[in-house]
Structures are given as C-alpha cells and as structure tokens.
Amino acid sequence: MPTYQKVKGTMDVFGHYARVKEKVSNVLKAMAELYAYSPFETPMMESTDLFQRGSGETTDIVEKQMYTFLDKGGRSLTLRPEYTAGVARAIVENKLYATSDLPIKAYYEGPLFRYERPGLGRYRQFTQFGVECVGEDSAWLDAETLLLAVESLYFLGFRKVKAKINSLGGKASRDAYRKALVEYFRPHVDKMCQDCQRRIDTNPLRLLDCKVPGDKEIAKDAPSILDYLVDEDRERFEKVKAYLTMLGVDFEVDSGLVRGLDYYSGLVFEISIAGEKDYGAVLGGGHYDDLLGELGGPSLPGVGFAIGIERLIASYCDEGLDKDADPGLDVYLMPIGKEAFDAAFTLLVETRLNGYSAEMPAKEGKLNSYFKKAERAGARYALIFGDEELKAGKAQLKDLNKKEQIEIDLTDLEHELEKHIETEGEHDDHE
Ligand code: HAM
C-alpha cells in the first residue's frame, strides 16, 4: 500500500493547535468588528494577471512564489499569494465604492499559497487574517489601522509589541528616490545577484529587500527614502507619527523598511514579536494610493495589514498564552450498569439540548476508566448514575475541580443543571 504524506510546507490542523487557531481568530475578528470592519471573502484562485498587475510584476512573490496553473479551459489561474489584490479586485468589480459608504472596511481570513523554502514560521500554505480600509485618504485612518494591529496583539496577551514604520511617499518622492537608488547601486550591481542586476532598471526599490547576504550588505548603505520625501509626504508622515504617539503606540522609524509588494505608497509597517525564537514579521501592511486604479477602478486609496496566523500562534504558544484555549466539556455522563447505559443516550441528548456540552463513553466500562476519559476531555462535571439510582430518578453530579458531589433529580434535569452548573462563560465573568 502506498503511504501518503502532506505536501511540503503545508500542515494538518487538529487538537490543541486547532483550538488555539480558533481562539486567536475569534479575538482578531472581535477586534476588527470593534473598529467597524465587516467580513469579506474572495476566491482562493484568481486570474494570474491580477497579481502580476496588482501585487507587482517584479516582486519575489509574483516572480518566484506563485502557484500558477492552466485550468482545463486554458486560463492561467493562481492560488492567491496575498489578499489585498483580490479584495481590491472585488471592490472594483462589484462597484462597492459607488454603493457603500466610504471607507469600505473589510476583514478577511484564509489560506494563502507561496512557493517559499519552508522553515521556522515559513510555510507554502499559510493563513492570514487581515483588514483593508478603502476609499478615504487620511493620516488618521493610517494611524487607526496600525493601532488596530497593535491593539489586537495586545488583546491576545502580547506585551512586548514594537512596530517598525516607514514612509515610501507618493509618486513624486518615489521617482526621485528611484533615481538616487540607481545612482547608488549602479557601481555595485555587477557583484549583486541576477535578480538585482535585472531589477535595477525595472524596479530599483526591490534591491533593498533582496535576501542574498552580500547584496544585503551593499543595500545597508543605500540612501534613505526619508531624505527624498516631498514636503506633502513628509508632512503626512509626521502627522501619522503624531497620531501614533497620541494613541500610545510604541513605534520605531526604520528607513530601510520597503515591504515586498509594489502597491505601497506612504506609510508602511511591520511588527515582530520579541521572543526566544525569531519567526520573522508576524504582521505587515501599509497604505496604497492607486491599487484600485491599477485594476481598472477609480483612483481610491486604501490602507491595511495582514497577520501571519501560524507565526502568531507560534509566539502565542511560546509565551504560554494558549493555556485556556481548550474549552473542555461541561458534563461527562457516567452510567454504571446496562440499564443506566441505555438511558444515558436520552440524558446525553437532553443535556446538550439544554445548552451544555456533553459526552458519554462509547462503550460500557469501569468507573475508573470513565474518570480518565472525563479528565482527558477536560470535563468540569460528571453525572454519575447506576441502574438503581436511575429507577429512583436520581444521579450524582460531581464537580470535578472542587471534588464536591451532590444528588440531583433526573426528572427535572434542566433546572438541576441550571442551578448547579457553572459554564465556562459564567466562570470567566466571575474572574
Ligand atoms: P506580507 O508581508 O507579504 O503582506 O504578509 C503578511 C504576513 O503574512 C507576514 O508578516 C507573515 O507573518 C505572513 N507570511 C507571509 N509569508 C508567509 C509564509 N510563507 N509562511 C507563513 N507566514 C507568512 C501581505 O501579504 C500584504 N497583503 C499585507 C497588506 C494588507 N498590506 C496592505 N493590506
């Protein structure tokens, strides 16, 4: 028999990890809702030219990392390597800018695909949670977006969160900067990698995020974009920084931060979580002036970010924030004897109908083994009854944490459970 293994760079999600993923996702969605964002979904595959045009033809993502294939109708499709281009496409295609109040505030979560070398915090299929705020241009919205990113991490329990920010300016600033970069790199470019040699003419900004060690060394002394910002862009960046300071966001300006996608203009940012292991940036984002225009829509700006969920979970677990992720069970039923076991099915269904999560053993067994199963399931209460007790309509309800036990009336199960069971939610409220 052949054996099968998952594709390199992908993962199976189950057990505790699946619980943590669910919990983290719920927190992120709740935070986005607090900031007036609404859910948004786009297809997992798009036409290849959307990413070429939207994300940037000469980026690593588009040149080297896309899962592109021809479908049976001969169309070139690509599994999305990022969300922003797809969300912008959906806004243009559905003319949401004409029918919704602006800005459109969308949040999304789902799998992405990049053909990268798998490593710590790096997968070929990974998950992003992200937001896009599209249609209005203001320094406040830039700052608010970064605030949401930082607050979301804080709300999840992270305390040492530092944002790196930079400004890539608008077209005029970037044109001047591009010239300066070409002048700087030209004398070195022969020693640099093939990509850099090609990109110096097509997209010199990309030389700044080349991953080749020797090239990185050369890029270190390149001119800073901040020296080439025109007045308007400089003022905008100052205003964003002032808002961030007012909002108490801890940030550091890193003039070398350029991000790996072409649509950015103005504010860009990245956040890493300090810890024992370096998973790389947990989150990246920024402002874009004309992505919608590039895709055939009106020239409307946007700002957004995306969190790498697997990297987030790795740091979350390293910091021990995942302890309460498993909700456990409210009640584990423990029928002792044949009649009790048969009656347990009805009681199980009744307990669940009353809103308590419940389970019972699949086969009759010893009380000891039931307690072990209950413990593994994280049950808070055991409902124990034998054949005789069942006839009398009674059972023992045992609080498995406090080890206290009381007798309850099975003929009025609904009220008995309501009176005596403290569910997880109530428990949290008391804390
Ligand atoms: P990005 O920086 O390419 O930005 O990706 C955002 C985050 O996704 C990264 O910071 C990282 O945590 C995670 N990530 C990226 N690649 C991988 C991988 N191979 N394995 C695991 N995690 C990964 C974007 O995608 C932009 N669309 C963000 C954005 C939204 N900008 C504006 N709006």
Side-chain angles (χ1 to χ4, degrees), residues 322-334:
D322 59 321
K323 285 201 190 74
D324 301 326
D326 299 83
L329 269 186
D330 291 323
V331 186
Y332 198 88
L333 277 72
M334 302 189 176

Side-chain angles (χ1 to χ4, degrees), residues 131-346:
V131 305
E132 308 295 339
C133 171
V134 175
E136 290 287 355
D137 191 29
S138 83
W140 166 255
L141 288 174
D142 287 354
E144 186 199 77
T145 307
L146 182 50
L147 178 69
L148 170 58
V150 170
E151 285 280 284
S152 298
L153 296 177
Y154 193 85
F155 213 75
L156 282 164
F158 294 104
R159 288 296 171 266
K160 287 183 212 127
V161 170
K162 190 163 222 156
K164 282 187 184 170
I165 69 168
N166 192 20
S167 171
L168 299 182
K171 193 174 169 335
S173 304
R174 276 203 311 283
D175 283 349
Y177 185 48
R178 237 179 248 127
K179 254 197 207 138
L181 283 179
V182 173
E183 258 169 49
Y184 170 79
F185 279 113
R186 188 67 75 195
H188 304 286
V189 80
D190 290 349
K191 289 173 271 164
M192 298 178 79
C193 73
Q194 297 280 311
D195 288 336
C196 288
Q197 292 186 17
R198 195 164 32 83
R199 288 172 179 169
I200 191 167
D201 296 312
T202 52
N203 194 352
L205 218 74
R206 295 273 72 89
L207 272 62
L208 294 172
D209 63 348
C210 177
K211 308 285 182 297
V212 176
D215 296 3
K216 265 184 164 169
E217 201 52 39
I218 296 171
K220 250 186 16 209
D221 297 323
S224 155
I225 175 80
L226 297 178
D227 295 330
Y228 292 84
L229 293 184
V230 299
D231 287 349
E232 191 192 335
D233 294 340
R234 189 188 314 280
E235 279 157 28
R236 171 64 172 261
F237 193 39
E238 289 307 317
K239 210 164 168 186
V240 174
K241 287 195 287 183
Y243 279 134
L244 291 174
T245 306
M246 182 190 93
L247 293 165
V249 173
D250 196 9
F251 69 87
E252 175 182 293
V253 175
D254 175 355
S255 64
L257 181 69
V258 287
R259 309 270 306 124
L261 291 147
D262 273 352
Y263 43 67
Y264 293 114
S265 55
L267 179 74
V268 286
F269 52 87
E270 270 182 17
I271 298 182
S272 305
I273 293 169
E276 25 180 303
K277 292 192 197 135
D278 181 9
Y279 299 105
V282 71
L283 167 168
H287 178 100
Y288 41 93
D289 269 341
D290 199 28
L291 176 57
L292 270 70
E294 282 286 320
L295 302 178
S299 182
L300 288 173
V303 56
F305 66 81
I307 298 179
I309 292 295
E310 288 76 12
R311 292 186 188 181
L312 182 75
I313 292 176
S315 296
Y316 194 72
C317 295
D318 286 353
E319 302 223 351
L321 297 167
D322 59 321
K323 285 201 190 74
D324 301 326
D326 299 83
L329 269 186
D330 291 323
V331 186
Y332 198 88
L333 277 72
M334 302 189 176
I336 307 154
K338 173 106 188 58
E339 279 158 45
F341 194 82
D342 287 344
F345 296 126
T346 322

Side-chain angles (χ1 to χ4, degrees), residues 9 81 110-114 116 123-128 308-310:
L112 302 182
F113 305 84
R114 293 186 192 173
E116 291 199 76
Y123 299 90
R124 288 184 174 167
Q125 179 180 331
F126 61 101
T127 317
Q128 274 188 357
I309 292 295
E310 288 76 12

Side-chain angles (χ1 to χ4, degrees), residues 46 50-51 54-55 82-90 132 263 291 295:
E46 300 268 5
L50 170 71
F51 299 112
S55 316
E82 64 126 7
Y83 263 101
T84 313
V87 171
R89 194 264 314 135
E132 308 295 339
Y263 43 67
L291 176 57
L295 302 178

